[in-house]
Amino acid sequence: MAHGKRYRNAYEKIDRDNRYSPGEAIGLVKETASTKFDETVEVHMKLGLNVRHAEEQLRGTLALPNGLGKEVSIIVFAEGDAARAATEAGASEVGGADLAEKIEGGWMEFDVAISTPDLMGPVVSKLGRVLGPQGKMPNPKVGTVTPDVGKAVEEAKAVKVEYRTDRNANVHLTIGKASFEGSALLENYAAVIDEINRAKPPAAKGRYIQSITLTTTMGPGIRVDTGVVREADILAEGVQSAGTDEGDGSGPEPPADVSEPEPATA
């Protein structure tokens, strides 16, 4: 794939044979994010799991200490007192069959869907083919099917993000925006790695975290040292890059050229 000048300049700053420490990788992420918009920062991990076995599949949620840089829009399927609790907690939309009809009509302007257990069968289950492919289907395993919808809304607004292994045992997560201070991105990264380690299935054998790659929306992948996985060790190092403008959250002046992103490799 042909890339533009901006991408090639970013690519030249990265040693493709090196596995950078987390602090160095975060510094490079900020150095190489140079588009006119605020790029999303992503982490991609390849895990040593056989996901054909149910006991080796990962799925859960975690709270990022510095959020994702956006307001989370939450809808709730609830009635009566539960509906009032959801509204008071800050849900964007609350309803039952009427809300389901709105979604079936094509409305998808929300990030998280939550439901009380009593509405899952008669109302929400019909939306599986619509919400499932987008990862928005309420699920009790990640706390989005619960009688305490008020608490669930509060947790979702505190930026609880869902993670899961795909069929190739990869995990893909957003950890913030390129405009974040380097320390904030590093803290979010450390929280993700700590959670993935905590969730390691007992049945897993061999090397668990096989590769980690950091990238931005339009930037090249930056390979990270898989030997630094303890949260304390990641944070103790700090952000290490002379090109990182630590403190004001600003990146380099973006040139006019914008190229297509390189597919991230987990």
Side-chain angles (χ1 to χ4, degrees):
M1 177 187 294
H3 293 287
K5 182 179 178 181
R6 183 208 61 81
Y7 181 91
R8 293 195 302 271
N9 288 340
Y11 189 88
E12 288 172 0
K13 295 180 180 181
I14 299 167
D15 180 354
R16 302 294 293 175
D17 296 323
N18 189 25
R19 299 296 186 272
Y20 293 93
S21 69
E24 291 173 327
I26 292 295
L28 275 171
V29 161
K30 287 183 64 63
E31 282 187 61
T32 56
S34 57
T35 60
K36 290 184 177 180
F37 64 92
D38 194 5
E39 297 181 61
T40 296
V41 180
E42 304 165 355
V43 60
H44 305 271
M45 287 170 278
K46 171 69 174 175
L47 303 181
L49 298 174
N50 184 349
V51 293
R52 290 178 295 178
H53 300 154
E55 66 272 18
E56 292 191 49
Q57 296 175 4
L58 289 190
R59 184 170 187 179
T61 59
L62 74 149
L64 295 177
N66 298 293
L68 288 175
K70 70 172 185 176
E71 186 72 24
V72 180
S73 176
I74 304 161
I75 66 166
V76 178
F77 294 93
E79 297 174 336
D81 291 341
R84 284 188 286 276
T87 300
E88 291 170 2
S92 303
E93 295 265 351
V94 180
D98 56 333
L99 183 54
E101 288 177 10
K102 186 175 179 179
I103 292 170
E104 287 179 324
W107 181 75
M108 293 293 289
E109 302 302 315
F110 58 92
D111 300 302
V112 179
I114 296 169
S115 177
T116 54
D118 60 302
L119 290 187
M120 277 301 295
V123 176
V124 186
S125 61
K126 301 173 184 177
L127 302 174
R129 59 183 176 80
V130 179
L131 298 181
Q134 297 201 26
K136 295 180 179 180
M137 187 67 179
N139 189 309
K141 291 182 179 179
V142 296
T144 50
V145 177
T146 173
D148 192 351
V149 291
K151 180 180 178 181
V153 170
E154 290 172 357
E155 290 178 346
K157 290 181 76 68
V159 195
K160 272 192 123 180
V161 296
E162 182 180 350
Y163 65 88
R164 68 174 76 183
T165 43
D166 65 17
R167 59 184 177 181
N168 294 313
N170 298 313
V171 173
H172 313 279
L173 275 169
T174 296
I175 62 169
K177 295 288 187 178
S179 61
F180 281 22
E181 291 188 2
S183 57
L185 286 172
L186 190 64
E187 288 172 3
N188 281 358
Y189 172 87
V192 167
I193 301 302
D194 183 68
E195 170 63 19
I196 296 301
N197 272 314
R198 184 204 61 77
K200 179 180 179 180
K205 297 180 177 64
R207 187 178 173 191
Y208 179 47
I209 300 181
Q210 298 185 347
S211 70
I212 306 173
T213 301
L214 279 171
T215 187
T216 58
T217 307
M218 305 292 282
I222 300 166
R223 295 171 183 174
V224 188
D225 183 1
T226 58
V228 185
V229 294
R230 291 182 64 248
E231 186 172 20
D233 293 339
I234 294 171
L235 297 178
E237 178 197 15
V239 178
Q240 298 181 13
S241 175
T244 302
D245 188 3
E246 189 69 47
D248 65 0
S250 62
E253 182 68 20
D257 179 74
V258 177
S259 62
E260 291 297 320
E262 177 192 57
T265 303

